[in-house]
């Protein structure tokens, strides 16, 4: 494809500045409002604009551009890892997403002729942006060891009401990934509709359970000021209340503002859990004679290397490398050809996942082929 013809050093430079595409999702809510208010009778279409861009246009451009042609040279990794440019891109997402949700609320209330259904669709579109910016970037930041990044990651997650992910993902999912103990690892033949409610419930519950255990080991009170989950969930409540007041000042109901905040949150964290479903579907870690599971390797996550979606998601699709080396920064994540490969980028796979017969027709043969030398290892949920 187009990018595969580039020299490696040119491709790396294109990637460096290509990450600025993260601004596009943030601009989609205002673009939708502008388009809807300057056309006649197309409100529903423009309310859906962010979703159409993410789930229709991006997959098409992915196929046209092709796959990411380069891995970083390991000699350059230390310097790239410390480069402040990459760090500040992710840190900027916290104020930008805060501005995005409040401006989106303003646009919705100042969009003439927008029906209640269109308002719901527009709020869902904002939630899709939240999945890309708040959840995905929050995920990148909570894996880093600086206090600024850790707190920024937690605050981003709290803007979509999913602060527990900060604890459960790092100390739960990354420990138990691709085992029956992990609620975020989907089983072979498990449908998305079976997976989602379990993921919502167990991940919320596990976050508090893990946090309690962590605090007990430190000799700290669970219901004390050092419990970070309490602070992050209080931040969620505070922002929801601010949104309600904001809507009230603009002449709408306080509760419509609160509803707007929590609906965009629900869409954002649902987007996360669908991606979790995709990333580990049918994969497993083998149990050793000691009773413990084998070490996490690139074999335990589905990989996708389509260029455009990699830029959108700060290389989340190079998920195999992320799980094998969780502390690696997004700019130096590598593609592993020997890891299980998704046939398309995340946006396409996200759409497929909602149609279980189609999903299984595409993915089950790939899981079976990957474990072709291990008869009987696959089991349904």
């Amino acid at each position: 494809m187009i990018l595969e013809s580039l020299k490696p050093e040119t491709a790396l430079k294109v990637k460096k500045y290509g990450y600025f595409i993260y601004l596009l999702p943030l601009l989609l809510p205002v673009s939708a409002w502008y388009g809807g208010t300057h056309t006649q009778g197309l409100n529903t279409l423009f309310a859906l604009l962010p979703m159409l861009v993410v789930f229709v246009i991006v997959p098409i451009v992915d196929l046209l551009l092709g796959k990411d042609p380069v891995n970083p040279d390991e000699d350059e990794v230390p310097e790239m890892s410390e480069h402040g440019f990459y760090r500040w891109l992710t840190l900027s997402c916290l104020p930008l997403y805060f501005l995005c949700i409040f401006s989106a609320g303003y646009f919705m209330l100042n969009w003439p002729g927008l029906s209640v259904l269109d308002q719901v669709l527009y709020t869902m579109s904002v939630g899709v942006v939240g999945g890309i910016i708040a959840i995905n970037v929050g995920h990148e930041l909570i894996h880093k060891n600086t206090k600024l990044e850790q707190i920024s990651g937690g605050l981003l997650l709290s803007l979509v009401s999913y602060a527990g992910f900060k604890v459960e993902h790092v100390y739960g999912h990354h420990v138990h990934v691709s085992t029956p103990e992990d609620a975020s690892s989907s089983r072979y033949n498990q449908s998305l509709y079976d997976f989602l409610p379990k993921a919502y419930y167990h991940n919320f519950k596990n976050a508090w359970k893990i946090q309690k255990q962590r605090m007990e080991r430190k000799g700290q009170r669970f219901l004390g000021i050092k419990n970070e989950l309490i602070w992050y969930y209080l931040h969620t409540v505070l922002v929801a209340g601010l949104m309600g007041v904001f809507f009230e000042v603009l002449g709408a109901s306080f509760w419509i503002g609160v509803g707007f905040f929590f609906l965009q949150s629900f869409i954002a964290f649902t987007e996360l859990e669908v991606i979790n479903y995709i990333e580990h579907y049918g994969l497993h870690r083998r149990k050793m004679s000691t009773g413990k599971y084998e070490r996490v390797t690139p074999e335990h996550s589905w990989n996708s290397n389509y260029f455009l979606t990699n830029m959108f998601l700060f290389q989340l699709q190079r998920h195999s490398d992320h799980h094998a080396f969780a502390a690696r920064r997004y700019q130096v994540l590598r593609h592993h050809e020997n890891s299980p490969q998704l046939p398309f980028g995340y946006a396409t796979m996200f759409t497929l996942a909602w149609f279980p017969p189609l999903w299984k027709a595409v993915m089950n043969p790939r899981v079976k082929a990957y474990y072709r030398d291990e008869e009987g290892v696959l089991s349904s949920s």
Side-chain angles (χ1 to χ4, degrees):
M1 289 296 188
I2 296 172
L3 291 165
E4 291 172 357
S5 63
L6 297 177
K7 294 179 180 179
E9 59 271 21
T10 304
L12 280 173
K13 188 167 286 188
V14 168
K15 285 179 66 175
K16 178 178 179 179
Y17 297 105
Y19 290 119
F20 276 113
I21 202 170
Y22 84 101
L23 295 171
L24 177 59
L26 289 162
L27 293 172
L28 287 175
V30 65
S31 302
W33 166 79
Y34 184 84
T37 55
H38 287 77
T39 56
Q40 294 292 325
L42 295 177
N43 280 343
T44 301
L45 177 65
F46 280 101
L48 288 167
L49 179 66
M51 286 192 271
L52 292 174
V53 169
V54 172
F55 298 119
V56 178
I57 296 176
V58 167
I60 293 171
V61 180
D62 251 347
L63 294 175
L64 293 174
L65 289 179
K67 296 182 179 180
D68 189 337
V70 292
N71 279 334
D73 188 313
E74 286 302 310
D75 292 335
E76 298 174 339
V77 165
E79 183 181 352
M80 286 181 67
S81 297
E82 294 304 315
H83 201 311
F85 169 83
Y86 298 101
R87 193 171 308 175
W88 287 107
L89 285 185
T90 51
L91 287 169
S92 71
C93 288
L94 176 57
L96 288 175
Y97 190 66
F98 185 87
L99 178 62
C100 176
I101 56 174
F102 277 86
S103 61
Y106 175 84
F107 297 138
M108 188 178 78
L109 295 178
N110 288 275
W111 189 329
L114 201 66
S115 69
V116 172
L117 175 60
D118 292 338
Q119 289 179 334
V120 170
L121 293 175
Y122 182 67
T123 307
M124 292 173 66
S125 287
V126 175
V128 168
V129 176
I132 297 169
I133 301 300
I135 295 265
N136 179 54
V137 178
H139 164 260
E140 169 69 19
L141 292 171
I142 63 175
H143 277 288
K144 303 305 168 278
N145 56 16
T146 73
K147 198 133 194 171
L148 178 61
E149 288 172 297
Q150 283 276 321
I151 293 172
S152 296
L155 291 174
L156 266 171
L157 293 169
S158 68
L159 288 179
V160 288
S161 310
Y162 222 51
F165 181 76
K166 183 179 187 296
V167 172
E168 202 287 328
H169 178 78
V170 174
Y171 301 102
H173 176 60
H174 269 262
V175 174
H176 301 296
V177 63
S178 295
T179 73
E181 284 77 23
D182 181 37
S184 292
S185 296
S186 53
R187 317 291 180 242
Y188 176 75
N189 231 27
Q190 183 179 21
S191 77
L192 179 63
Y193 299 96
D194 180 70
F195 173 83
L196 279 178
K198 294 174 181 176
Y200 295 145
Y201 172 71
H202 287 289
N203 287 337
F204 179 80
K205 183 186 76 172
N206 288 349
W208 289 97
K209 178 182 176 183
I210 292 168
Q211 184 68 356
K212 187 172 185 290
Q213 292 168 346
R214 292 177 68 220
M215 297 190 74
E216 284 175 349
R217 284 196 295 270
K218 295 176 183 179
Q220 297 170 344
R221 289 176 54 244
F222 178 59
L223 296 178
I225 61 172
K226 292 190 176 180
N227 187 337
E228 62 178 327
L229 287 186
I230 293 176
W231 289 108
Y232 287 127
Y233 278 111
L234 283 175
H235 183 250
T236 294
V237 173
L238 173 63
V239 177
L242 285 174
M243 186 68 75
V245 171
F246 183 64
F247 270 56
E248 202 165 35
V249 169
L250 293 174
S253 164
F254 173 90
W255 293 110
I256 290 177
V258 172
F260 172 87
F261 176 80
F262 283 116
L263 178 56
Q264 66 87 29
S265 295
F266 176 75
I267 297 301
F269 65 68
T270 295
E271 192 174 359
L272 159 71
E273 295 299 356
V274 176
I275 296 301
N276 274 336
Y277 174 82
I278 292 166
E279 287 169 340
H280 305 287
Y281 178 77
L283 301 178
H284 67 275
R285 285 156 62 195
R286 300 160 187 86
K287 204 169 233 186
M288 301 182 296
S289 57
T290 60
K292 295 182 178 180
Y293 291 102
E294 64 181 327
R295 185 176 67 85
V296 179
T297 73
E299 296 180 357
H300 302 122
S301 308
W302 289 96
N303 212 55
S304 180
N305 202 35
Y306 282 94
F307 179 81
L308 182 61
T309 306
N310 265 351
M311 295 297 96
F312 255 104
L313 299 179
F314 292 98
Q315 299 213 117
L316 179 68
Q317 292 187 132
R318 290 187 164 185
H319 208 62
S320 299
D321 201 38
H322 167 67
H323 265 282
F325 306 95
R328 284 179 75 99
R329 291 185 176 272
Y330 70 91
Q331 66 267 29
V332 294
L333 287 174
R334 299 159 296 181
H335 171 66
H336 293 270
E337 198 60 49
N338 63 334
S339 66
Q341 303 295 316
L342 293 170
F344 306 106
Y346 275 10
T348 303
M349 301 308 297
F350 182 96
T351 304
L352 283 178
W354 292 99
F355 303 94
L358 187 56
W359 169 265
K360 291 175 183 179
V362 171
M363 289 302 295
N364 282 10
R366 284 173 168 79
V367 177
K368 288 179 180 178
Y370 197 69
Y371 291 115
R372 61 184 176 274
D373 297 325
E374 299 180 56
E375 293 294 330
V377 300
L378 300 177
S379 61
S380 299
S381 61

